[in-house]
Each structure stands twice: as C-alpha cells, then as structure tokens.
C-alpha cells in the first residue's frame, strides 16, 4: 500500500519555505477570510522585500507597517466598517512602498491569466483612467474585424499564496464554507505553491465530510502545505464560523495615531508566538464567538 | 416634516428607475435606501444583495434587525464581475471624494504624487470597471468645490467623458453617467459633449447657490424645476427600511427640506 500524501506543516515551516523578495498572494477580502496566523508568522520571521498581492485588509496594513513590503499590488485596503486602513495610509503617505494600483476586477483577471499560464488577458477595464499609465499597463489590438484596442492585463504570477480555509485534510483536500469565497481559488491557481491554514484538520476528508465535497473550491494539486491553526483568521472574519473582531480593528487603527510606531505595538498585535497571541485574545473559542457582521 | 436626506433618497430612487432586471447597488445609506425604495415602488425588476453575498427580493433594512434576510439568489463577489459588472447588468450610485466636469471621479488619493500621496484613501476599488461597463450615478451629501473640482480630479479612478483620455480604437460606448444627486440639486450629463446640466433644485436652493458650490460651469436650461418630494407612501417605505435612522446622520445637521442651504 502506498504511503498517504501528508502535507502537514507548522506555520513556521510554511514561512521557512518563503524567501526574501518573493511575490506572495494573500486570499480573502478586506477584513474577511484572511490567513492572519500565517501573516503573523511572517511578521515573527525576518522575511522582507516582499511583493504582496491582496484584496487588502490588516494583512497589508501590518506587513507594510512592519517594513516587510517592497511593492503592493492592490485595488483597495479597507476594514469595511473602518473604511480606511490607518497603517497602510501612514506608509503610503510616507512614500515608503512601490505600488501597482489596479481595479478589483483587473486583479482577479491578472490572477486568472497566471492560472491559465498566459502572459495577459484583455479587458476594457482601466481605459479612460489613471490606472493604465500609473501601473505601466500596455494595450493590445483585437486581430479580428472589430480591431478594438484593449488593455492587456499582465499575469500576476505568485511565488506563493496564503489562504485560510474552514476544513482541510492531510493531503490538502480543502473545504471552504461561507456565503462568499472571494478569489481564493484564483490565488491558489496563480501560485507556484499554495499554503493553507485551516480551522479544522482531518486525516481523510472522505471519512469526515463527504457530503460537503462541493465546497472543495480548488484541488489538492494546488496545495503544497497545510497548517492546523484554529482561529487563524482572527481578527478577520471566517463565515459561517465567526465575524470580524471590530473592537480589535478599532484598537489597531487607533494605534496608528497613538503611539503611531509599529515597533511599539507589534508584540500586542502579533504576539511573540501564536500561542501567546491566542492566549491574549481568549483562544479559538473566543474567536468563534465573535458575531457575524451586519452589512 | 420631510428631511433633506429623505428627499435625496427619493431622488436616488428616481435615478434607479428602470424596466430592466439589473443589480442596483447603493453605497452608503442614502443610495442604498434609494435602491430599496425604487424596487418596492416603480422598478420591481431591480435586483439587489443583502449587502454581502445573497440576492434578496425584499430590500434588507439598515442596521441591527430581528429577522434574517431571506435569500432568493446568490451573487458573491466571486461572481460579481462576470454576472453584474462586466456584463453591464448593474447601476451603482456611489460617493467619490472628487468629481470633475467630465464625470471623472477619484476615490484613490489626494495631492502629492502617486508614489507619495498627501492623503491616501481607499484605492480605486472597482471604479475603473464600473465606469467602463455599466450605468453609474453619484451622490454627494455636501455639495462644494472640494468635491466638484475645477480641473481634473487628482487621480482618475473612474472613466468619464474626457476626450483627452480616450485611446483611438478603445470602446467607450458603455460609459453611462446618469445622475448626480446632492444636498442642493439633481444634475445630469445632458449638456453639449456631456456637459453637466442642472435637472432640478431642491426647495430653497438657487441656481447661484449651485454654481457657487461647483468648481466648473453648470449648464442651466430655462426654468429649472424643483426636485420632487417623496409622498407619504414613500416616506413609510423609507422608515421601514431604516428604522434606526441611519439616514439622519448623512447630511450635516439632518436639515428638513426647504431650509436655506
């Protein structure tokens, strides 16, 4: 009998597979479904000079504030009910990072181009705006009779993607639950290696949740590592389990003004270890008790 | 007593008026209530979400509520570009930070340059795609020259009618800027070359008030009518969709209709 594929890793082992200067995609959307425990592990490491591709929330704000980001590929950075991400603003207004600012739809289009191993995909999006010149985008002309001139959205190839999922097994069979999974599957398909943290880890998915196989948003061939990190989306939401921790986001945002120095608050918002962080917020049970957002 | 916010909700509902089956997106309490009012009165074909991912046939009231929304369909962000935006089946009413005479808007950043803006805001979000693919309207709760700027907006986040921004061979035919609803008036892009034109004045507001608060010329054609007021039925619907009175915090001082601007 052949050995079962076993992709289990610790968060630190996942981060040890990342390198300075890599392009890393982070799944989720704003303050929703973010792999925050893996982001915290990056913040505890020495990883730097990263290009981050994200529908940005506090993942972007924290990595920028900590000086780990060389370049950001983004369409927005927001915490929903706190519309403007205070740490991201601070870094942008200091001119401290390079940016490629894109429309939300262009960002997923670039991930799809990468997933399909194409150099670009055409779109009308960006025409008539500053996005095209500022991002250095080129145009392409339809070879058919219409001759239309379109924006050529370049592939956003990722060295690695980080995602937080509801369930996963040792082999990397994921299940993503909740009303909206955003573009997580395209981050996974656009990446050379995808690492997931998971709320629930089982040995064999088919022995535990066979009835939910339709929640297998992307195939295990796209998953290179899985870490069991319950509560790992905190402070972002993970529907249907829990909502975003808005009190946490408020304290984090306020700290951008006072004291306004990331080094002074990093331990509070990241923790020396994930166990310390979890203990500080009351553990995965407290995370699971955060009410879902009202939109 | 009818508040100015309620008049604006009613005007947003008029802007949403359609016989098509398209997604109505109202960002912020006034446009969102306008979408709900339109759907429950003259435009039943309109579709909308619960604010997250499910399509609802009964508009969802703002804020805490005792009953959960009932989903009739599903429209998560993961399908939004395919199903609503890039297919042109949507009308959004949004509130940008800056708007210029071409209908170009800015939501991204102010001042400085793009490498180091004086003020970083949200980012362009979906504005480039929205503007090139489907109908859009604008709601401005504090009509002034900081919003309606004299030159071009600082960072063009959505496409408008500026000929200098058009590439030969590009398709701009789906740009459809419909209405601008403010605390002073309703405007559209119905002038020559899509110039901004006054459609109606809210009670107590003059043409001079509007012009003084706008950084570019506003076309005035003949006698400008007064903006229509919501009737008792419309006010009851607005109240049912906003029982916690979020609309009361949108316009500074929450004035009644008719007070001098």
């Amino acid at each position: 009998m052949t050995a079962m594929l076993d992709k289990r890793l610790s968060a630190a082992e996942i981060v040890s597979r990342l390198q300075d200067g890599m392009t890393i995609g982070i799944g989720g959307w704003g303050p929703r479904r973010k792999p925050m425990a893996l982001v915290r592990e990056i913040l505890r490491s020495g990883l730097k000079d990263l290009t981050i591709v994200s529908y940005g929330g506090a993942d972007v704000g924290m990595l920028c504030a900590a000086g780990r980001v060389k370049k950001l590929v983004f369409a927005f950075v927001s915490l929903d009910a706190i519309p403007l991400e205070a740490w991201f603003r601070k870094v942008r207004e200091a001119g401290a990072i390079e940016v490629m600012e894109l429309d939300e739809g262009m960002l997923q289009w670039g991930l799809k181009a990468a997933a399909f191993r194409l150099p670009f995909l055409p779109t009308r999006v960006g025409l008539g705006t500053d996005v095209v010149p500022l991002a250095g985008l080129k145009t392409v002309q339809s070879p058919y009779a219409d001759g239309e001139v379109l924006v050529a959205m370049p592939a956003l190839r990722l060295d690695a993607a980080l995602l937080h999922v509801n369930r996963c097994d040792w082999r990397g069979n994921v299940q993503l639950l909740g009303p909206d999974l955003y573009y997580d599957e395209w981050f996974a398909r656009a990446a050379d290696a995808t690492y997931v943290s998971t709320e629930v880890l089982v040995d064999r998915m088919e022995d535990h949740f066979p009835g939910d196989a339709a929640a297998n948003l992307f195939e295990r061939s796209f998953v290179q590592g899985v870490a069991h990190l319950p509560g790992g989306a905190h402070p972002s939401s993970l529907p249907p389990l829990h909502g975003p921790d808005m009190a946490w986001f408020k304290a984090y945002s306020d700290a951008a003004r006072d004291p306004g120095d990331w080094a002074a608050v990093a331990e509070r918002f990241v923790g020396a270890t994930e166990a310390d962080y979890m203990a500080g917020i009351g553990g995965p049970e407290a995370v699971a008790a955060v009410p879902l957002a009202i939109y | 007593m009818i508040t100015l916010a309620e008049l604006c909700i009613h005007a947003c509902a008029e802007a949403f008026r359609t016989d098509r089956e398209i997604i109505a997106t109202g960002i912020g309490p006034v446009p969102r209530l306008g979408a709900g009012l339109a759907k429950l009165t003259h435009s039943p074909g309109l579709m909308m979400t619960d604010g997250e991912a499910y399509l609802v046939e009964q508009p969802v009231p703002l804020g805490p509520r005792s009953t959960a929304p009932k989903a009739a369909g599903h429209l998560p962000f993961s399908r939004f570009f395919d199903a609503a935006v890039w297919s042109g089946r949507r009308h959004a009413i949004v509130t940008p930070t800056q708007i210029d005479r071409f209908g170009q808007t800015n939501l991204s950043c102010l001042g400085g340059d793009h490498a180091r803006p004086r003020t970083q805001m949200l980012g362009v979000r979906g504005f480039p795609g929205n503007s090139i693919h489907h109908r859009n309207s604008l709601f401005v709760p504090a009509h002034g020259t900081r919003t309606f700027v004299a030159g071009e907006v600082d960072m063009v986040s959505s496409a408008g009618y500026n000929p200098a921004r058009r590439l030969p061979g590009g398709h701009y035919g789906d740009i459809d800027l419909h209405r601008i609803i403010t605390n002073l008036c309703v405007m559209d892009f119905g002038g020559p070359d899509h110039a901004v034109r006054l459609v109606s004045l809210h009670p107590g507001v003059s043409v001079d008030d509007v012009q003084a608060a706008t950084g570019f010329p506003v076309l005035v054609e003949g006698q400008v009518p007064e903006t229509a007021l919501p009737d008792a039925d419309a006010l009851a619907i607005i109240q049912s969709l906003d029982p916690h009175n979020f609309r009361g915090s949108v316009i500074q001082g929450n004035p009644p209709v008719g007070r001098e601007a």
Side-chain angles (χ1 to χ4, degrees):
Chain A
M1 196 170 114
T2 52
M4 182 172 154
L5 289 168
D6 187 351
K7 298 176 183 170
R8 287 177 296 166
L9 296 172
S10 69
E13 285 171 329
I14 288 174
V15 171
S16 75
R17 296 190 181 195
L18 308 177
Q19 293 169 20
D20 291 351
M22 272 190 168
T23 297
I24 298 178
I26 302 176
W29 182 281
R32 315 179 195 186
R33 302 191 73 93
K34 285 287 177 181
M36 295 304 291
L38 294 178
V39 170
R40 284 188 285 273
E41 201 60 35
I42 290 175
L43 290 164
R44 292 180 200 114
S45 78
L47 215 56
K48 62 180 191 302
D49 294 330
L50 302 174
T51 293
I52 298 294
V53 180
S54 178
Y55 290 103
D59 53 330
V60 167
M62 294 167 84
L63 290 168
C64 285
R68 307 309 180 87
V69 179
K70 178 168 178 283
K71 181 177 179 182
L72 177 68
V73 180
F74 78 112
F76 63 84
V77 184
S78 178
L79 304 175
D80 282 353
I82 302 171
L84 303 180
E85 220 283 0
W87 291 97
F88 164 69
R89 289 188 83 175
K90 202 175 167 68
V91 168
R92 278 286 283 144
E93 290 167 11
I97 55 169
E98 296 172 37
V99 293
M100 181 187 204
E101 183 167 359
L102 299 170
D103 167 272
E104 291 168 9
M106 293 175 112
L107 199 158
Q108 57 99 29
W109 206 225
L111 294 175
K112 286 176 177 170
F116 304 146
R117 302 186 291 176
L118 296 171
F120 69 89
L121 280 169
T123 179
R124 291 174 182 161
V125 179
L127 290 175
T129 74
D130 275 329
V131 163
V132 168
L134 287 172
L137 304 181
K138 309 289 188 194
T139 57
V140 64
Q141 186 173 15
S142 166
Y144 297 104
D146 55 88
E148 185 175 342
V149 171
L150 296 150
V151 174
M153 177 61 214
L156 295 172
R157 189 74 209 169
L158 308 174
D159 294 309
L162 306 177
L163 307 171
H164 188 69
V165 302
N166 300 79
R167 300 168 180 161
C168 190
D169 74 7
W170 294 5
R171 299 166 297 190
N173 289 303
V174 297
Q175 290 189 355
L176 281 75
L177 312 176
D180 198 340
L181 309 175
Y182 308 105
Y183 287 90
D184 280 11
E185 68 179 296
W186 297 103
F187 280 96
R189 295 187 211 285
D192 291 341
T194 296
Y195 301 101
V196 304
S197 54
T198 185
E199 207 61 38
V200 173
L201 179 69
V202 296
D203 49 359
R204 294 172 172 84
M205 192 61 88
E206 66 274 25
D207 291 340
H208 297 269
F209 304 107
D212 296 333
N216 180 223
L217 188 69
F218 48 90
E219 303 70 26
R220 67 172 161 80
S221 54
F222 293 96
V223 178
Q224 278 64 48
V226 51
H228 187 209
L229 295 165
H234 184 274
S236 75
S237 65
L238 187 68
L241 185 64
H242 65 83
D245 189 341
M246 293 315 298
W248 192 101
F249 283 128
K250 171 86 167 49
Y252 161 85
S253 301
D254 290 347
R257 284 191 304 278
D258 178 17
D261 173 15
W262 179 253
V265 296
E267 181 151 338
R268 178 177 167 204
F269 296 121
V270 179
T273 67
E274 190 63 12
D276 284 352
Y277 179 84
M278 272 293 145
I281 58 169
E285 302 75 19
V287 176
V290 178
L292 295 171
I294 296 170
Y295 294 104
Chain B
M1 185 191 77
I2 300 171
T3 67
L4 187 54
E6 289 162 344
L7 175 145
C8 289
I9 292 165
H10 185 250
C12 286
E14 280 303 313
F16 274 124
R17 183 185 286 270
T18 184
D19 55 11
R20 294 181 65 203
E21 293 179 89
I22 58 171
I23 304 295
T25 303
I27 303 293
V30 164
R32 177 165 160 181
L33 291 165
L37 178 60
K39 180 172 172 59
L40 292 176
T41 53
H42 46 69
S43 302
L46 285 175
M47 297 154 68
M48 58 191 59
T49 73
D50 60 356
E52 189 176 12
Y54 292 108
L55 290 165
V56 292
E57 294 296 354
Q58 172 62 39
V60 175
L62 272 57
R65 49 205 174 233
S66 52
T67 54
K70 289 200 288 187
H74 194 202
L75 186 58
F77 279 111
S78 58
R79 276 161 50 180
F80 215 83
F81 302 108
D82 319 64
V85 181
W86 294 7
S87 57
R89 295 168 190 271
R90 187 188 191 212
H91 180 184
I93 302 187
V94 297
T95 300
T97 306
Q98 293 181 319
I99 301 165
D100 66 26
R101 72 188 64 201
F102 304 110
Q104 300 174 140
T105 74
N106 177 19
L107 187 71
S108 172
C109 55
L110 295 172
D113 62 30
H114 194 248
R116 186 176 184 176
R118 179 168 48 77
T119 305
Q120 173 68 45
M121 302 180 297
L122 270 178
V124 297
R125 285 222 55 175
F127 274 31
N130 295 353
S131 58
I132 203 76
H133 279 300
H134 64 65
R135 172 168 282 190
N136 289 277
S137 294
L138 308 167
F139 169 64
V140 175
H143 191 141
T145 51
R146 286 164 61 99
T147 302
F148 292 101
V149 296
E152 275 193 292
V153 295
D154 289 4
M155 195 284 193
V156 179
S157 309
S158 67
Y161 297 115
N162 184 358
R165 293 266 177 184
R166 298 198 169 190
L167 296 175
H171 178 86
Y172 298 88
D174 294 322
I175 294 178
D176 181 8
L177 292 167
H178 188 54
R179 292 278 187 280
I180 307 172
I181 298 107
T182 81
N183 60 320
L184 299 182
C185 64
V186 177
M187 301 182 285
D188 68 9
F189 292 85
D193 300 323
H194 301 283
V196 173
R197 176 179 71 171
L198 197 55
V199 171
S200 65
L201 290 162
H202 302 342
V205 178
S206 71
V207 169
D208 288 346
D209 293 335
V210 170
Q211 191 56 74
T214 309
F216 49 81
V218 178
L219 182 66
V220 179
E221 293 177 331
Q223 198 64 32
V224 180
E226 213 166 67
T227 309
L229 299 176
D231 62 17
D233 289 346
L235 290 170
I237 290 170
I238 292 168
Q239 174 60 27
S240 73
L241 294 177
D242 185 26
H244 307 291
N245 196 30
F246 282 87
R247 64 192 181 282
S249 60
V250 173
I251 297 175
Q252 189 166 18
N254 194 29
V257 166
R259 199 168 74 187
E260 287 300 317

